[in-house]
């Protein structure tokens, strides 16, 4: 520690190293949080169900999504990204996933909500497999931290089905 | 930091640099300096203060549930530590070294370097510098002719 510049360099390096360690510990502290989220999705209405000109099926739904995701937030959470996906099985693929709607929850206060919305993104199949199809609606969430590891999980809600004939 | 990189860093920062950076100017110096004990003290203070502020900041942030609070407390701690340890405060200079006056130094000759050559390489012997007063603390520097 001989001169002004030397001490300044030493101080800044040590300070930044300790800051990095603090961020690692903050991220590890997220594991102490055990979340207990809940969600429910109702399909209020099937707006239309048609075959596209090129031959694929397409559906438009209106959903009522209600959820309580407040327990996902910790002191180290920047935002929570959620999306709703429809999952179903066809002859060709054992699992098809189509994202219907998503949102960003920036703060804990906004994490308990309900929203009625038609699907933001098109529910299109590869083929003509959707008539009478039974599908699950899954609410996925990604807890994005301020520093460190991102946690992702989901709730699967089953029992939804599409009409037998095109509307 | 090695002697030469430190010198180049100092000259880059605008400090007057000569090879005799460690020795004071012959006129009364306007530079404030730290002595060796002071440098050690400054380093210890810096390390301890930063660790204490880091722990305090983390606990404060965790308890209040605010990441921003942690960063603010820590930034304040770093600034405070910098203000205390970086400038050459007088309390870092409580054990100053007593260098010889130039006029005194002339009365005592510089040590001679004797070179004796043998068949297998040659050996240099350097006589130690004279000490004015054994009771005063002296730095163990050897000046070469």
């Amino acid at each position: 520690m001989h001169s002004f510049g030397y001490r300044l360099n030493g101080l800044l390096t040590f300070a930044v190293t300790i800051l990095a360690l603090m961020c690692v510990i903050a991220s590890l502290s997220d594991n102490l949080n055990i979340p207990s989220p809940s969600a429910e999705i109702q399909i209020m209405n099937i707006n239309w169900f048609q075959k596209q000109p090129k031959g694929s099926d397409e559906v438009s739904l209106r959903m009522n999504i209600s959820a309580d995701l407040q327990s996902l937030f910790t002191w180290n959470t920047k935002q929570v990204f959620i999306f709703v996906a429809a999952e179903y099985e066809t002859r060709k693929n054992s699992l098809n996933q189509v994202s219907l709607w998503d949102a960003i929850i920036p703060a804990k206060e906004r994490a308990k909500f309900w929203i009625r919305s038609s699907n933001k993104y098109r529910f299109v199949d590869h083929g003509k497999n959707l008539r009478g199809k039974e599908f699950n609606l899954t609410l996925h969430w990604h807890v994005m931290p301020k520093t460190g590891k991102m946690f992702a999980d989901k709730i699967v809600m089953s029992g939804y089905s599409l009409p037998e004939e095109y509307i | 930091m090695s002697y030469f990189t430190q010198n180049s860093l100092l000259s880059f920062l605008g400090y007057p640099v000569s090879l005799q950076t460690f020795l004071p100017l012959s006129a009364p110096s306007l530079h404030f300096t730290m002595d060796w004990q002071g440098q050690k003290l400054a380093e210890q203070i810096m390390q301890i203060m930063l660790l204490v502020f880091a722990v305090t900041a983390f606990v404060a942030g965790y308890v209040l549930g605010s990441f921003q609070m942690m960063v603010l407390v820590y930034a304040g701690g770093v600034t405070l530590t910098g203000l205390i340890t970086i400038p050459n405060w007088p309390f870092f200079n409580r054990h100053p070294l007593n260098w010889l006056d130039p006029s005194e130094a002339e009365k005592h000759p510089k040590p001679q370097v004797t070179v004796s050559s043998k068949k297998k390489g040659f050996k240099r012997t350097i006589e130690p510098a004279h000490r004015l007063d054994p009771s005063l603390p002296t730095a163990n520097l050897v000046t070469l002719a």
Side-chain angles (χ1 to χ4, degrees), chain B residues 22 29 43 78 91 108 135:
Chain B
F22 284 124
S29 173
E43 180 166 356
V78 170
F91 63 83
H108 303 270
S135 66

Side-chain angles (χ1 to χ4, degrees), chain A residues 108-142:
Chain A
K108 191 170 179 171
E109 294 75 36
R110 308 251 216 112
K112 188 168 181 178
F113 66 95
W114 60 267
I115 183 171
R116 290 188 182 162
S117 163
S118 57
N119 45 319
K120 246 179 164 184
Y121 308 109
R122 299 167 64 169
F123 188 170
V124 182
D125 185 33
H126 289 165
K128 295 184 275 260
N129 304 306
L130 289 183
R131 277 166 294 177
K133 180 63 69 182
E134 285 179 12
F135 61 97
N136 294 339
L137 282 175
T138 324
L139 179 72
H140 297 250
W141 59 81
H142 287 63

Side-chain angles (χ1 to χ4, degrees), chain A residues 1-11 14-16 18-19 22-23 25-26 29 32 75-76 146-147, chain B residues 1 6 10 13 15 34 39 43 46-47 50-51 54 58 61-62 65 67 70 74 78 81-82 85-86 88:
Chain A
M1 305 282 275
H2 302 295
S3 66
F4 184 94
Y6 192 97
R7 286 195 294 276
L8 182 68
N9 180 36
L11 175 98
F14 197 49
V16 169
I18 293 183
L19 181 67
M22 281 160 66
C23 289
I25 300 178
S29 77
L32 298 173
W75 71 304
N76 188 28
K146 292 192 165 106
T147 62
Chain B
M1 207 187 270
Q6 178 182 325
L10 284 175
L13 287 173
Y15 277 58
M34 278 193 196
Q39 287 174 12
E43 180 166 356
M46 179 201 77
Q47 288 169 345
L50 279 184
L51 283 173
F58 188 85
Y62 191 75
F67 198 87
M70 175 176 95
Y74 186 62
V78 170
T81 309
T85 60
I86 294 182
N88 294 321

Side-chain angles (χ1 to χ4, degrees), chain B residues 7-76:
Chain B
N7 263 355
S8 46
L9 176 67
L10 284 175
S11 55
F12 178 73
L13 287 173
Y15 277 58
V17 170
S18 66
L19 275 179
Q20 296 191 344
T21 311
F22 284 124
L23 303 177
L25 307 175
S26 54
S29 173
L30 291 177
H31 299 122
F32 298 107
T33 54
M34 278 193 196
D35 56 50
W36 305 111
Q37 300 274 33
Q39 287 174 12
K40 179 177 165 188
L41 183 66
E43 180 166 356
Q44 284 175 336
I45 289 179
M46 179 201 77
Q47 288 169 345
I48 292 176
M49 275 187 78
L50 279 184
L51 283 173
V52 165
F53 269 107
V55 169
T56 312
F58 188 85
V59 168
Y62 191 75
V63 164
L64 292 174
S66 165
F67 198 87
Q68 189 179 19
M69 186 53 61
M70 175 176 95
V71 174
L72 283 177
V73 170
Y74 186 62

